[in-house]
Amino acid sequence: MIETKNINFYYDRFHALKNISMQMDIHSVTAFIGPSGCGKSTFLRLFNRMNDLIANTRMTGECLIDGHNIYHKSVQVDELRKKVGMVFQKPNPFPKSIFENVAYGLRVNDVRNKSFIAQRVEESLQAAALWDEVRDKLKKSAFELSGGQQQRLCIARALAVAPSILLMDEPASALDPISTSKIEELIYSLKKDYTIVIVTHNMQQAARVSDKTGFFMLGELIEFNDTKKMFLNPEKEQTQNYITGRFG
């Protein structure tokens, strides 16, 4: 379970997130929607402390995973990021073979057992719905894959180290409609084993894949609700206006 309590986040003097509290259930898909610059990607990056890499930022409030504050000084960030995988907007395979892309996280974590690595690579590619397409070309460069295949490869790479949470920052925005559909099907199938949080500009995508949706505007969480209710009968007028295209 992921929970935030009164989160405020600042880029230097800019107040990017304002007093955000939210609870996300395990084995579910939570989507964040809202216009560009509203804070949804900043909020997503809190959960694996990617914002730590940005200078002159600070946060107040609590960010909890399974009841533990991941910003406590005792938390080892490398261990946290094994538990919380991330997939970015554009596919970013490494200049390595398909096999070595998926095996990378295991090798970095000092796994040496070749048979275990091979097993995890196959399991991860199967989980990412890519195994049947690449099983006969694992030694070929990842750059030979299509954009959609590369994104699924990046998902497999994230899954290989056995996280419990998967963060996705607009994972289909750079893809064609067919590849986007495959990514959406994959997200739906993965939630039985993972807790997934996705940022998307595509409201139809949020409606298709998520169980709950959070609508952000100017750093504030305007509404957080079951996705079906959010899109059919939102509680806030701002949500209604954004979903119907009156602004944003």
Side-chain angles (χ1 to χ4, degrees), residues 29-32 44 168 170-171 187 196-200 205 209-210:
V29 180
T30 301
F32 300 153
L44 182 79
M168 297 183 165
E170 299 196 53
I187 291 169
I196 299 173
V197 188
I198 178 173
V199 164
T200 179
Q205 183 174 81
V209 304
S210 69

Side-chain angles (χ1 to χ4, degrees), residues 12-239:
D12 202 0
R13 295 182 181 178
F14 176 65
H15 196 177
L17 295 172
K18 302 170 184 176
N19 205 40
I20 296 178
S21 298
M22 180 189 293
Q23 184 172 304
M24 287 155 270
D25 298 329
I26 63 170
H27 294 177
S28 67
V29 180
T30 301
F32 300 153
I33 62 171
S36 295
C38 67
K40 54 191 186 294
S41 290
T42 296
F43 190 59
L44 182 79
R45 292 195 299 265
L46 291 177
F47 307 136
N48 67 348
R49 294 186 52 169
M50 287 291 285
N51 291 325
D52 290 11
L53 304 174
I54 304 171
N56 300 316
T57 60
R58 63 187 177 91
M59 187 199 84
T60 62
E62 288 185 291
C63 186
L64 309 168
I65 293 180
D66 295 335
H68 301 290
N69 186 357
I70 64 170
Y71 283 83
H72 191 273
K73 61 184 179 181
S74 65
V75 171
Q76 293 183 300
V77 177
D78 289 345
E79 292 299 316
L80 171 69
R81 290 178 184 154
K82 290 179 193 175
K83 185 175 184 177
V84 186
M86 186 150 191
V87 178
F88 296 92
Q89 183 173 359
K90 292 183 180 179
N92 59 340
F94 300 141
K96 299 174 179 287
S97 69
I98 293 168
F99 183 95
E100 288 301 328
N101 261 271
V102 183
Y104 179 82
L106 298 169
R107 298 197 193 283
V108 166
N109 288 303
D110 211 30
V111 177
R112 293 285 178 261
N113 186 312
K114 291 183 178 180
S115 62
F116 177 78
I117 291 173
Q119 177 185 343
R120 283 301 299 155
V121 168
E122 180 176 342
E123 289 172 350
S124 301
L125 288 168
Q126 286 179 337
L130 191 58
W131 174 251
D132 290 342
E133 297 170 43
V134 302
R135 63 191 302 171
D136 297 323
K137 46 186 177 182
L138 295 176
K139 293 182 179 180
K140 292 193 173 183
S141 169
F143 294 137
E144 294 185 21
L145 299 175
S146 69
Q149 288 175 322
Q150 287 184 13
Q151 190 65 305
R152 281 182 284 148
L153 179 69
C154 293
I155 293 171
R157 187 174 68 199
L159 298 180
V161 294
S164 57
I165 296 167
L166 194 58
L167 310 177
M168 297 183 165
D169 194 355
E170 299 196 53
S173 66
L175 304 180
D176 62 85
I178 293 175
S179 297
T180 296
S181 177
K182 288 185 177 181
I183 295 292
E184 290 180 4
E185 290 172 7
L186 178 56
I187 291 169
Y188 188 81
S189 68
L190 287 173
K191 76 174 181 179
K192 69 180 184 297
D193 298 311
Y194 304 91
T195 300
I196 299 173
V197 188
I198 178 173
V199 164
T200 179
H201 272 108
N202 186 327
M203 285 185 286
Q204 290 77 22
Q205 183 174 81
R208 287 191 294 264
V209 304
S210 69
D211 300 291
K212 288 190 174 181
T213 298
F215 168 52
F216 287 76
M217 176 67 71
L218 298 176
E220 296 183 13
L221 179 62
I222 304 301
E223 186 169 346
F224 181 59
N225 220 321
D226 290 341
T227 296
K228 187 173 182 179
K229 177 170 175 39
M230 177 81 86
F231 282 91
L232 295 179
N233 187 27
E235 293 179 354
K236 302 291 180 66
E237 184 179 358
Q238 285 172 288
T239 310

